[in-house]
């Protein structure tokens, strides 16, 4: 197998253990070994940057990140190379629709490097703060839109059944937006055209590379476009069968050091 010139990895279910917070020793070792060869290692996630940097700081590296499932891309020095936001009109309409049809959902408004909520005491918000180490702040969404602080992403938190209905209803009603469940209890809303693939494209352009130079690791449906785009794609052992079939390779699970195992098996580290 050809040695990649750049490596991309999803975070939850891929790079992190099942606790969504910790990195195994071998996974951290693999990142350091890749970087020592001059190969960029990029984390790709629906998370905001402030929910990714505690992970990279914890293993002692400064690397590029792609946040909001491809909406925001930052270099290892923190330089912004891609920043896609939801249009103000679309954001206002979808927020009104959520309040009307899904009032029990917790709505999170992510704008660049900041995270706004209506209720910091909501247990769902507090749990997200706990696992990501990012800090939410109280914000008035209408006021944010009025001063052109546009959302990079809206995140809905709720029970599985309302999330399933919200994904279907909002996607049908707002074709100008990309609406997708990232888990049974989370619905991500971004500008149409934003995907992990679009984030990869921006990062590859930055490095002067192409898709065939890239290796990507992922474990779930929101990684599908990234896996199909990268020249070499690797599904984790804990991925659904459909994702395994879409990838060119399958490795061990995130709990079994799947990233390290694949790179070691193919003599990349």
């Amino acid at each position: 197998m050809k040695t990649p010139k750049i490596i991309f990895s999803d975070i939850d279910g891929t790079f992190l253990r099942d606790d969504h917070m910790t990195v195994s020793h071998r996974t951290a070792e693999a990142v350091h070994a890749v970087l020592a060869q001059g190969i960029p290692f990029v984390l790709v996630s629906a998370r905001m940057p402030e929910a990714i940097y505690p992970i990279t700081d914890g293993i002692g590296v400064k690397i590029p990140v792609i946040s909001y499932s491809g909406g925001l891309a930052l270099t290892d020095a923190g330089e912004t190379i891609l920043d896609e936001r939801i249009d103000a009109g679309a954001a206002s309409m979808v927020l009104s629709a959520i309040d009307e049809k899904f009032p029990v959902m917790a709505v999170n408004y992510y704008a660049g490097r900041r995270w706004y909520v209506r209720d910091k005491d909501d247990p769902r918000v507090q749990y997200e703060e706990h696992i990501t180490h990012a800090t939410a702040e109280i914000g008035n969404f209408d006021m944010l839109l009025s001063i052109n602080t546009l959302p990079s992403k809206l995140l809905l938190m709720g029970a599985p059944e309302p999330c399933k209905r919200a994904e279907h209803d909002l996607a049908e009603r707002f074709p100008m937006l990309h609406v997708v469940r990232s888990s049974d209890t989370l619905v991500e809303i971004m500008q149409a055209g934003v995907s992990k693939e679009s984030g990869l494209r921006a990062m590859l352009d930055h490095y002067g590379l192409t898709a065939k130079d890239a290796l990507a690791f992922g474990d779930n449906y929101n990684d599908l476009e990234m896996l199909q785009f990268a020249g070499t794609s690797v599904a984790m052992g804990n991925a659904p069968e459909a994702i395994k079939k879409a990838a060119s390779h399958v490795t061990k699970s995130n709990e079994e050091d799947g990233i390290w195992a694949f790179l070691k098996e193919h003599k990349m580290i």
Side-chain angles (χ1 to χ4, degrees):
M1 180 187 298
K2 177 184 173 184
T3 301
K5 296 181 180 177
I6 188 167
I7 298 175
F8 296 92
S9 175
D10 168 57
I11 292 182
D12 292 285
T14 302
F15 193 77
L16 296 180
R17 294 189 177 106
D18 286 344
D19 61 8
H20 300 285
M21 293 187 287
T22 57
V23 182
S24 75
H25 173 74
R26 280 181 165 176
T27 299
E29 178 186 297
V31 175
H32 282 278
V34 165
L35 296 178
Q37 298 174 53
I39 300 171
F41 193 102
V42 185
L43 287 176
V44 188
S45 177
R47 295 182 178 216
M48 69 185 301
E50 275 61 32
I52 299 176
Y53 289 141
I55 299 167
T56 57
D57 290 346
I59 63 173
V61 297
K62 290 210 174 293
I63 58 177
V65 301
I66 297 172
S67 291
Y68 304 129
S69 299
L72 179 65
L74 305 172
T75 68
D76 54 356
E79 174 195 357
T80 300
I81 57 175
L82 177 69
D83 188 359
E84 292 285 345
R85 306 286 183 111
I86 300 175
D87 173 81
S92 180
M93 288 189 293
V94 76
L95 285 166
S96 295
I98 293 163
D99 291 343
E100 178 187 346
K101 296 196 69 175
F102 306 100
V104 299
M105 306 281 258
V107 184
N108 301 262
Y109 187 117
Y110 292 91
R113 306 286 293 272
R114 301 180 77 172
W115 170 22
Y116 300 99
V117 296
R118 290 165 171 156
D119 179 9
K120 272 183 64 71
D121 295 326
D122 188 310
R124 295 165 293 189
V125 172
Q126 293 181 339
Y127 178 71
E128 189 73 6
E129 287 186 315
H130 170 68
I131 65 171
T132 65
H133 301 289
T135 302
E137 54 189 293
I138 296 293
N140 181 302
F141 300 163
D142 290 336
M143 184 177 295
L144 290 168
L145 289 174
S146 73
I147 59 173
N148 209 38
T149 300
L150 303 179
S152 305
K153 179 184 79 170
L154 299 173
L155 173 67
L156 309 185
M157 300 169 170
E161 186 54 37
C163 281
K164 185 177 180 180
R165 286 191 289 108
E167 179 191 33
H168 177 268
D169 291 357
L170 297 175
E172 188 175 71
R173 185 169 170 182
F174 300 99
M176 75 291 284
L177 299 174
H178 181 200
V179 183
V180 63
R181 274 184 298 163
S182 53
S183 80
D184 286 344
T185 58
L186 299 174
V187 180
E188 316 267 351
I189 304 172
M190 294 150 296
Q191 188 72 10
V194 169
S195 70
K196 290 188 176 182
E197 178 186 333
S198 62
L200 261 65
R201 287 183 183 276
M203 196 61 69
L204 290 170
D205 286 347
H206 172 72
Y207 282 103
L209 300 173
T210 65
K212 72 179 189 307
D213 299 316
L215 166 63
F217 292 93
D219 78 300
N220 222 322
Y221 292 101
N222 61 342
D223 298 317
L224 187 57
E225 290 162 312
M226 172 175 75
L227 294 173
Q228 291 174 331
F229 176 68
T232 304
S233 56
V234 185
M236 306 301 289
N238 48 294
E241 283 305 313
I243 302 304
K244 291 178 181 178
K245 288 178 181 177
S248 53
H249 302 272
V250 178
T251 186
K252 293 182 178 181
S253 74
N254 60 319
E255 286 285 336
E256 300 170 299
D257 306 310
I259 292 175
W260 176 89
F262 181 85
L263 296 176
K264 195 76 172 174
E265 177 187 355
H266 293 278
K267 298 179 170 51
M268 296 179 191
I269 56 173

